[in-house]
Amino acid sequence: MIKDQLSAYIKRTVEITDDELIHVLSFFKTLKPQKNELLLSEGQTSQRSFFVGTGCLRIYFKDENGQDSTRYIAFENMFATALVSFITGQPSLEYIQAIEPSELLYITHEDFNSLRKTVPAWEKFYCKYLEKAYVNTASRLLSFTTMDATERYKQLLSKNQTVVMRLPNKIVASYLNISQETLSRLKSKI
Amino acid sequence: MIKDQLSAYIKRTVEITDDELIHVLSFFKTLKPQKNELLLSEGQTSQRSFFVGTGCLRIYFKDENGQDSTRYIAFENMFATALVSFITGQPSLEYIQAIEPSELLYITHEDFNSLRKTVPAWEKFYCKYLEKAYVNTASRLLSFTTMDATERYKQLLSKNQTVVMRLPNKIVASYLNISQETLSRLKSKI
DNA sequence: CGAGGCCTTGACCGCGGTCAATGCCCGTGG
DNA sequence: CCACGGGCATTGACCGCGGTCAAGGCCTCG
């Protein structure tokens, strides 16, 4: 059934024939990480792209003091990968972690790229994926350069309430790039 | 000659036949903005993608107090556009401005996208363009979430010295997202 | 030559981080 | 089943980075 979810996701994103779709799906394998399990550590190269069937992943990096900064959170029916490393082939600065016990599909970087060469719809899919990733990252950049902590929190509440409701404060704070203490004070003020 | 620059840029980026290249180039027109001329204002939709032959463009947005935050600077042989608006078709939050008197080529959004459908190498080009834009934006995001003003300035000095040498402090500060006064103090300290 | 923009320097202050103490909730083992 | 321990959340005290405001000097361009 998780393959059905992925299948629907792909069809929503690009035009693709049934044959191509079946071919593409055949490269995905399942993985069921536990809560808090790391799927990619800093310094490794990002060799897999994940699709979340159930559960939730986060992408984050650590600053020089070892503090987390969460860059992306993927719930059901979303893709997640350490995209910079996936693009460049360089070792990753980003970690990937299952926040909840999850059921995932993944495709290796190698399979992903060879599909791009043989299935034009898959190249198109990659393009759409990059567009989404870019828009998302650019909007994050905008919020860090023009908004203070309170405004970022309010924006998160209105645009992505699930993150606030479903995840522990610790991770919400890391996603807003503020300390847990500050988030706690913000919440009590609003 | 500026078309030669663009031609070389495209060939460096993707594999493309001479016929395709000539076809693609035929859609580019020239533009010679003056210093400080605005090529795109907030609220307009980003309908052009620019290639810099000589001079220099910047992409920036304004926060609620009207302060600039510069997101991207394009010197010779670089592309620049308000990419989020270019992707989504929504009105832009970003401005495009010529910092120096410049000589540019541009292609309209419409031509750009119809080329993607008819010339596979152009789709590939777009893909590479998105990859670059993503990596660049992600690395900016990383520096804002993990580094303080001093570290960002030192990083800029080592990775992109031209920005610091060639542009007025006002713009360098806006690129680092710090006040002009803080940049001035940083410089005197280093 | 004058005016306006840019850079520098000083004084001040507020946002948000750190450290520490305390309370709460939950999973685990005796 | 309860007691304990560890992780998470809250609250207070403190402080430093970097922003704002203001004044003064310099350079450029009309």
Side-chain angles (χ1 to χ4, degrees), chain A residues 128-148:
Chain A
K128 289 271 184 189
Y129 184 56
L130 286 172
E131 287 186 341
K132 256 187 242 179
Y134 179 79
V135 170
N136 183 60
T137 307
S139 119
R140 254 178 102 64
L141 187 59
L142 184 70
S143 60
F144 284 119
T145 53
T146 63
M147 294 162 71
D148 65 20

Side-chain angles (χ1 to χ4, degrees), chain B residues 130-181:
Chain B
L130 286 172
E131 286 186 342
K132 257 187 240 177
Y134 179 79
V135 170
N136 183 59
T137 307
S139 121
R140 251 178 103 63
L141 188 59
L142 184 70
S143 60
F144 284 119
T145 52
T146 64
M147 294 163 71
D148 64 20
T150 311
E151 292 174 314
R152 291 207 299 282
Y153 177 61
K154 284 185 181 168
Q155 178 186 262
L156 185 61
L157 266 184
S158 68
K159 291 203 183 165
N160 212 344
Q161 217 184 348
T162 318
V163 171
V164 183
M165 308 312 303
R166 182 162 159 182
L167 304 179
N169 271 4
K170 195 187 157 123
I171 289 181
V172 176
S174 148
Y175 188 63
L176 291 168
N177 208 46
I178 60 180
S179 70
Q180 216 180 122
E181 292 93 327

Side-chain angles (χ1 to χ4, degrees), chain B residues 2 29-40 48 50-58 74 96-106:
Chain B
I2 174 170
K29 302 175 189 67
T30 63
L31 189 69
K32 300 190 181 181
Q34 305 171 340
K35 184 172 175 174
N36 293 331
E37 190 172 331
L38 275 181
L39 306 179
L40 181 78
R48 295 181 290 184
F50 298 94
F51 176 78
V52 181
T54 58
C56 159
L57 300 182
R58 73 175 179 128
I96 304 181
Q97 182 188 37
I99 304 183
E100 303 171 356
S102 304
E103 192 179 352
L104 312 173
L105 289 174
Y106 70 87

